[in-house]
Amino acid sequence: MFKVLCVAALGTLPIGAASLLHAQAASNPRIDERIDRIVVTGSQIPRADKETPSPVQIITAAEIRASGYTSVSEVLRDITANGMATLNQGFNRAFSGGASGVSLRGLTLGLTLVLIDGRRMAPYPLSEDGQRPFVDITSIPFDAVERIEILKDGASAVYGSDTIAGVINVILKKRHQGTLLSAETGTTQHGGGNTSRVSVTHGFGSVTSGSDGFISIEYRKQDKIMVNQRSGDWTRMDWRAFGGEDLRPGARNAALISPRLNSAYLQIPGSSTDTASSFAFYPGCTFAAMRASQCLFADTWSTLQPPSENLNVLASYNAKFAGDWELNLKGSVFNSKNQQIFSPQAIPEGSFAGYTRTGLSVVPAVVGAIANYTVPGNYPGNTLGVPASVIATIAPGDGAIVDLDTQSTRFVAELSGSFAEWEIKSAVGVTRVETKTDVSNVVNPANLYAALNSTDPNTRYLLGGGNSAAVMNFVAPRANNTQTNKLNFFELHGTRDLMKLHGGPLRLGLGMSYIAKELNAPNPKESQNGSMLLNGAYAFGKEKDTAFFAEIVAPVLKSLELAAAVRRDHCDIFGNSTTPKAGFKFSPMSALSLRGTASKGFRAPAPAENGTGGFLFGFTNLRDPLLCPVSNADGTPNLAAATNVPAYCNFAPLYLQGTNKSPQPEKSKSYTLGVILEPIKGWSTTLDYYKTEVNNQIISGQQGEGQKKVPFCCYRPP
């Protein structure tokens, strides 16, 4: 269980409710002529006032353009409600590499629901931390956005699962007249990060003719920003002045008595690290220089911002029929390319000694089989005359490169109109996200060991350089993978006035929804067979959810509005969940309003938590008691001991995490209380208090079939 308490204040000069409604009416004359109403995120009932009992922040297209940002992910990254546990494309080594997500108030990506036009989208196939699903906001087109609505309150009573922290609703344009061409380019003050974007939007038809639509195409390219292009304490690697270690590449410190350098060197196994005759150096460094940390080399691989490229196509078509019935068809293909660059691989490999996967268990193929890479006494450059251990940086290029190509496809049909006293809205949608991963420059340990010890000059790997393309392709073969996530839905709901109250009509909303999900996210075959250390997360599973919900808005007085909602979900993987919500808004005067809500919420377990799946991850450095048993008098590892494998005396092990076959959903209780101050027209200041309590958190592999986290380094089969 965890609790979050938060107080947030916001002062803005937003587009007022009236102007927002007029803009809606201008773009869509078919809005109810009796009273201007819009649907605000957090409710299915149209209303005339954008200030609801729940706190909602609205960012308009004009505000987005004036912000200077060039992508939706940049806009949402810097909102005040986006807190810890957020994700952006610059996070190398993430399980969800290449994607960006929002974590409202730090409650994780999995508890923040992202909608497009009020409808769900298939999550990114690579789950956050190998577990929680989320929608990648990187792929949403920038110029096609009409506004973004941010609900900072739990909303399971309206939208179901995943809404404990709140909802991000990205509303795309429905109509466009004429042709709009937009282009911009820019760079950064200190180099890198060049950004170019061009888009064209063309409208056709007209509202008066009965049919209209538009097509929008957008291209965006952003270059990488390297760490070595920036300076200052936040890029510092030498922490000795502050009592820490020197972490610069090639530096010698307490954890790296024999550091990896940009050039290779050899050591007699078990020999003293203080004796020069124990080492043989290749050109680039010497024993004395190594011990004095004089063989430093530049970090040419670390990025602050990875390179990315987007191509988005969006088409929309509207047709009106008899009465006030209207059909909207919207289709889109969003493509996002991203590249992650890792540090060059080094030998000894450390924690990775080769493994095979059996079900959800990791069993070392041969414990310590490649714990120390060695070369024979007659290996080129080995002047020691005996088999020697290798300490080197294996750099086929600048290190491991992961290219991610994600294509998000979405087709939604909406039909709306009135029947009898009901305003009807229905929608059916098919969404799919496919991520293709191409990995290069990752070492295959067995191949590297074989190439180091080959007696054939044509297949031998040379530590001194000059290796052929064939040898490099053998040592570091390319690997690729494809993962998909699908989400299809059907929704139907209607609203009507029940009776007149003193403050306006009592409005009722009823509806149902059906959601089907399917995740197919294998890990690369090289990871499955244990030949290479790649992304170890994999998950497969299906989910179906059927829900019925009801909502009521009661303006009992002109100064007092009461609202309530309840939803009943049936999920095929765990059963039923009932989530209610109640709220009020009290406005004793035009310049002052009080509002508050109380609600329950839930998050259904995802396929990566409940289906067939698992993942490997690193946590912290430790010492393997089996492969590094001998200590010095002060308890530190004796690196000169013949029975100690130095690579295992201080390293980050891999852990295996499985799924939980019988979890219940996470459940929450949320409360908000706020004040709205509007002293003058067009000015709005809000002060809101939040309290969220989450229980029954889903922790994969901790329950169910007796699975548990096991350090890969120290696990031995019975």
Side-chain angles (χ1 to χ4, degrees):
M1 179 186 77
F2 66 84
K3 299 181 180 179
V4 172
L5 301 177
C6 183
V7 177
L10 179 64
T12 61
L13 282 168
I15 292 180
S19 60
L20 180 62
L21 292 170
H22 292 161
Q24 288 281 310
S27 63
N28 183 6
R30 297 175 55 76
I31 287 180
D32 194 332
E33 296 177 355
R34 294 170 298 173
I35 180 171
D36 285 338
R37 290 173 175 157
I38 59 171
V39 174
V40 179
T41 302
S43 173
Q44 299 286 8
I45 296 179
R47 57 185 296 118
D49 183 2
K50 71 180 181 69
E51 294 289 2
T52 71
S54 295
V56 178
Q57 177 183 356
I58 299 177
I59 306 174
T60 66
E63 292 170 329
I64 292 173
R65 287 193 297 269
S67 69
Y69 295 123
T70 60
S71 69
V72 172
S73 62
E74 290 177 346
V75 173
L76 294 177
R77 181 183 60 202
D78 288 342
I79 62 174
T80 56
N82 188 22
M84 297 181 296
T86 187
L87 179 69
N88 62 69
Q89 289 185 318
F91 184 14
N92 268 351
R93 300 181 183 273
F95 282 103
S96 306
S100 298
V102 180
S103 173
L104 292 178
R105 294 191 301 283
L107 291 176
T108 77
L109 277 64
L111 299 185
T112 301
L113 179 64
V114 175
L115 304 174
I116 299 178
D117 291 331
R119 314 293 181 188
R120 287 183 180 254
M121 177 67 191
Y124 194 61
L126 306 176
S127 303
E128 180 207 13
D129 287 341
Q131 296 177 268
R132 291 175 292 274
F134 69 98
V135 172
D136 176 24
I137 58 176
T138 302
S139 300
I140 300 175
F142 189 76
D143 279 352
V145 175
E146 181 176 292
R147 67 183 185 275
I148 301 174
E149 296 183 352
I150 304 163
L151 174 68
K152 305 174 185 179
D153 185 17
S156 288
V158 178
Y159 300 110
S161 177
D162 311 331
T163 62
I164 289 176
V167 179
I168 304 289
N169 188 7
V170 181
I171 299 172
L172 304 178
K173 294 177 181 178
K174 186 176 181 180
R175 288 186 163 87
H176 182 86
Q177 297 295 313
T179 301
L180 174 65
L181 177 63
S182 173
E184 63 179 320
T185 186
T187 188
T188 60
Q189 180 179 358
H190 299 288
N194 298 335
T195 302
S196 299
R197 186 173 62 85
V198 61
S199 67
V200 59
T201 304
H202 175 70
F204 55 87
S206 65
V207 177
T208 56
S209 68
S211 65
D212 66 287
F214 73 89
I215 183 169
S216 178
I217 303 175
E218 177 184 83
Y219 174 77
R220 176 180 182 271
K221 186 176 186 296
Q222 189 169 54
D223 293 339
K224 60 187 175 183
I225 299 177
M226 308 301 296
V227 169
N228 60 20
Q229 293 177 293
R230 301 294 184 266
S231 61
D233 285 343
W234 64 289
T235 60
R236 180 188 296 274
M237 294 296 288
D238 186 357
W239 295 96
R240 290 175 296 174
F242 302 92
E245 299 286 356
D246 187 353
L247 304 179
R248 292 175 296 174
R252 189 171 186 263
N253 56 51
L256 292 173
I257 303 299
S258 300
R260 295 150 183 163
L261 308 176
N262 210 23
S263 57
Y265 60 100
L266 307 176
Q267 180 183 4
I268 298 175
S271 63
S272 172
T273 58
D274 297 324
T275 305
S277 59
S278 300
F279 295 88
F281 282 81
Y282 287 85
C285 192
T286 64
F287 177 75
M290 180 268 288
R291 288 178 61 81
S293 293
Q294 295 176 352
C295 299
L296 303 178
F297 57 100
D299 180 343
T300 60
W301 56 86
S302 296
T303 58
L304 296 173
Q305 172 182 286
S308 61
E309 190 174 3
N310 296 79
L311 178 62
N312 303 316
V313 180
L314 170 69
S316 178
Y317 174 75
N318 305 287
K320 60 181 182 180
F321 306 107
D324 61 352
W325 285 90
E326 183 175 356
L327 174 68
N328 174 248
L329 303 177
K330 190 169 287 184
S332 61
V333 178
F334 305 151
N335 182 263
S336 172
K337 291 182 172 66
N338 176 265
Q339 185 180 82
Q340 293 191 317
I341 304 172
F342 296 79
S343 59
Q345 288 190 275
I347 52 177
E349 284 291 308
S351 63
F352 183 64
Y355 64 88
T356 57
R357 188 179 305 283
T358 305
L360 293 179
S361 299
V362 164
V363 180
V366 180
V367 177
I370 316 178
N372 272 353
Y373 286 80
T374 59
V375 293
N378 61 353
Y379 182 84
N382 184 1
T383 60
L384 299 173
V386 295
S389 300
V390 178
I391 303 175
T393 298
I394 304 299
D398 288 331
I401 297 176
V402 180
D403 289 295
L404 298 117
D405 188 338
T406 298
Q407 182 162 296
S408 303
T409 306
R410 183 175 185 266
F411 179 81
V412 177
E414 297 182 346
L415 181 65
S416 61
S418 60
F419 177 76
E421 298 296 321
W422 291 88
E423 297 174 29
I424 307 296
K425 287 189 176 182
S426 62
V428 59
V430 178
T431 71
R432 184 177 188 269
V433 181
E434 178 184 85
T435 297
K436 294 182 178 180
T437 304
D438 184 83
V439 184
S440 57
N441 294 350
V442 174
V443 169
N444 180 306
N447 289 3
L448 173 59
Y449 193 82
L452 283 169
N453 290 273
S454 174
T455 58
D456 183 351
N458 295 318
T459 59
R460 178 188 294 147
Y461 180 82
L462 300 174
L463 292 168
N467 294 287
S468 66
V471 169
M472 296 311 302
N473 290 335
F474 176 72
V475 169
R478 299 185 73 92
N480 53 70
N481 193 32
T482 299
Q483 300 177 309
T484 60
N485 207 342
K486 301 177 184 178
L487 186 149
N488 302 326
F489 65 84
F490 170 74
E491 295 181 4
L492 173 65
H493 59 85
T495 60
R496 62 166 295 171
D497 295 350
L498 293 180
M499 59 183 294
K500 290 289 186 180
L501 299 178
H502 186 71
L506 173 67
R507 293 183 62 79
L508 170 69
L510 299 174
M512 63 84 62
S513 73
Y514 173 78
I515 302 171
K517 306 177 185 178
E518 181 178 356
L519 175 64
N520 181 25
N523 52 359
K525 66 179 185 298
E526 292 83 1
S527 181
Q528 296 177 33
N529 61 31
S531 62
M532 295 172 66
L533 182 58
L534 304 172
N535 188 337
Y538 65 99
F540 307 88
K542 297 181 179 180
E543 296 180 12
K544 294 180 181 178
D545 181 279
T546 304
F548 297 89
F549 51 88
E551 184 180 2
I552 194 166
V553 175
V556 294
L557 302 172
K558 289 190 177 296
S559 60
L560 178 63
E561 174 186 319
L562 301 179
V566 64
R567 180 181 175 110
R568 176 76 167 180
D569 285 84
H570 175 76
C571 185
D572 62 347
I573 62 175
F574 70 84
N576 300 319
S577 179
T578 301
T579 48
K581 182 174 183 177
F584 77 93
K585 178 186 173 187
F586 177 55
S587 304
M589 60 186 70
S590 60
L592 173 66
S593 297
L594 304 176
R595 65 185 176 193
T597 63
S599 64
K600 290 186 176 181
F602 79 101
R603 181 179 79 87
E609 297 165 317
N610 174 261
T612 300
F615 62 94
L616 297 174
F617 64 96
F619 178 63
T620 187
N621 281 27
L622 54 77
R623 174 181 174 182
D624 188 326
L626 298 182
L627 297 178
C628 185
V630 181
S631 301
N632 295 315
D634 60 0
T636 60
N638 185 343
L639 300 180
T643 55
N644 277 357
V645 180
Y648 287 92
C649 291
N650 183 26
F651 74 105
L654 295 178
Y655 289 81
L656 169 69
Q657 189 103 338
T659 59
N660 186 340
K661 295 300 183 181
S662 57
Q664 290 299 305
E666 293 183 0
K667 297 183 179 180
S668 70
K669 296 179 181 179
S670 298
Y671 307 92
T672 69
L673 187 62
V675 179
I676 306 170
L677 299 175
E678 297 177 308
I680 59 175
K681 184 178 180 181
W683 177 279
S684 178
T685 297
T686 62
L687 177 67
D688 291 289
Y689 167 83
Y690 307 90
K691 179 181 179 181
T692 302
E693 179 180 316
V694 182
N695 294 282
N696 197 40
Q697 287 181 267
I698 301 171
I699 302 177
S700 295
Q702 297 298 300
Q703 307 170 28
E705 300 179 354
Q707 300 169 25
K708 59 182 180 180
K709 287 193 293 186
V710 179
F712 168 70
C713 74
C714 308
Y715 176 74
R716 303 292 183 266

